[in-house]
Amino acid sequence: MSVALLLRLILVVLLVAFLAEPQGFAPVFAPFAANGAPAVYTQSSLLSLTLSHLAMVAAATLAATIVSVGLAILVTRPAGREFLALSRSIANMGQTFPPVAVLALAVPVFGFGPIPTLIALFLYGLLPIFENALTGLTTIPPTVQEAARGVGMTDLQRLVSVELPLALPVILTGIRLTAVISLGTATIGSTVAAKTLGEVIIAGLTSNNTAFVLQGGLIVAVLALLIHDGFARLESAISRQRPMFA
């Protein structure tokens, strides 16, 4: 077993153990707690907050992936090339409006809760996936396209069996970037009553309890590392499995 794999396993075990029984780690965080303050956040279950946080990131990333890849497919077809500028403008929308600004605009319309956060994460995640999908679909060698046409593949068959499989590693890189960024960005959702790990961080900041801040921050950081590593390994595995025309 490699050292890197061993370290990842240790991180997973420690994270699961902490979420399952956080009070067992109270001595670790006690030096960072304010005078007389609890060392471990107990106002909400850390496990439920983590699952809610991950669910929100997964939902927003999935929605951003469907829209971004769909737009990339559209603008790389002959009939849709004229929509490239419009698609880029849509994908750039989330980068133009920071998540905090999106929350401020969405709360009066949708109220407090998870929906404003989901909208902010969705918009912010469009650009990396769209640009990577566009790059992946436009850098396929012409010889590969010609070979697929030569065996009688239709446009749809080429897209599904050749283009998307070849572009998938690059698309996954965009999804990985979006997922990792969204993990950190989602913490601001707690300012509008969304159930995320930002609740723990905000509680620590408002009560001057560094232990809470560390707990929320460390959980998000470990999740980001594990998800980043998981996607990177998936990209590497898919890159080794090339379609027959590659």
Side-chain angles (χ1 to χ4, degrees):
M1 182 182 295
S2 67
V3 175
L5 180 58
L6 179 61
L7 288 174
R8 283 190 288 271
L9 289 174
I10 291 173
L11 278 177
V12 171
V13 170
L14 287 174
L15 178 61
V16 171
F18 178 61
L19 294 177
E21 191 57 50
Q23 289 297 339
F25 289 78
V28 177
F29 293 101
F32 303 98
N35 293 333
V40 175
Y41 186 76
T42 57
Q43 293 179 355
S44 297
S45 165
L46 289 175
L47 177 59
S48 67
L49 287 175
T50 301
L51 293 176
S52 176
H53 191 107
L54 287 173
M56 201 168 298
V57 169
T61 302
L62 177 61
T65 299
I66 293 171
V67 172
S68 297
V69 175
L71 287 174
I73 291 172
L74 172 65
V75 300
T76 53
R77 305 306 99 181
R81 283 173 186 157
E82 60 185 287
F83 298 105
L84 176 58
L86 176 61
S87 298
R88 272 214 166 97
S89 297
I90 293 172
N92 273 299
M93 193 183 303
Q95 306 293 324
T96 304
F97 295 97
V100 174
V102 175
L103 289 179
L105 294 171
V107 167
V109 178
F110 299 100
F112 289 92
I115 294 179
T117 304
L118 285 169
I119 294 172
L121 295 179
F122 165 74
L123 291 175
Y124 205 64
L126 288 173
L127 186 61
I129 303 175
F130 174 75
E131 290 295 344
N132 277 59
L134 190 63
T135 300
L137 290 170
T138 55
T139 55
I140 296 172
T143 53
V144 174
Q145 297 277 24
E146 289 301 322
R149 290 191 188 95
V151 297
M153 282 189 171
T154 64
D155 291 344
L156 180 59
Q157 286 173 331
R158 288 201 307 273
L159 174 65
V160 173
S161 301
V162 179
E163 295 180 52
L164 285 176
L166 285 172
L168 187 55
V170 184
I171 295 172
L172 283 174
T173 300
I175 297 173
R176 167 165 55 87
L177 292 172
T178 289
V180 171
I181 292 170
S182 295
L183 271 170
T185 307
T187 55
I188 67 172
S190 292
T191 61
V192 294
K195 283 290 183 181
T196 74
L197 289 163
E199 177 181 320
V200 186
I201 297 172
I202 292 171
L205 292 173
T206 55
S207 63
N208 196 29
N209 191 336
T210 307
F212 291 174
V213 177
L214 283 174
Q215 286 158 40
L218 285 173
I219 294 173
V220 171
V222 171
L223 289 173
L225 285 171
L226 293 175
I227 289 174
H228 181 281
D229 183 69
F231 269 108
R233 286 176 168 272
L234 182 59
E235 292 161 30
S236 177
I238 291 175
S239 295
R240 292 194 295 268
Q241 299 176 356
R242 314 300 290 180
M244 59 180 293
F245 297 104

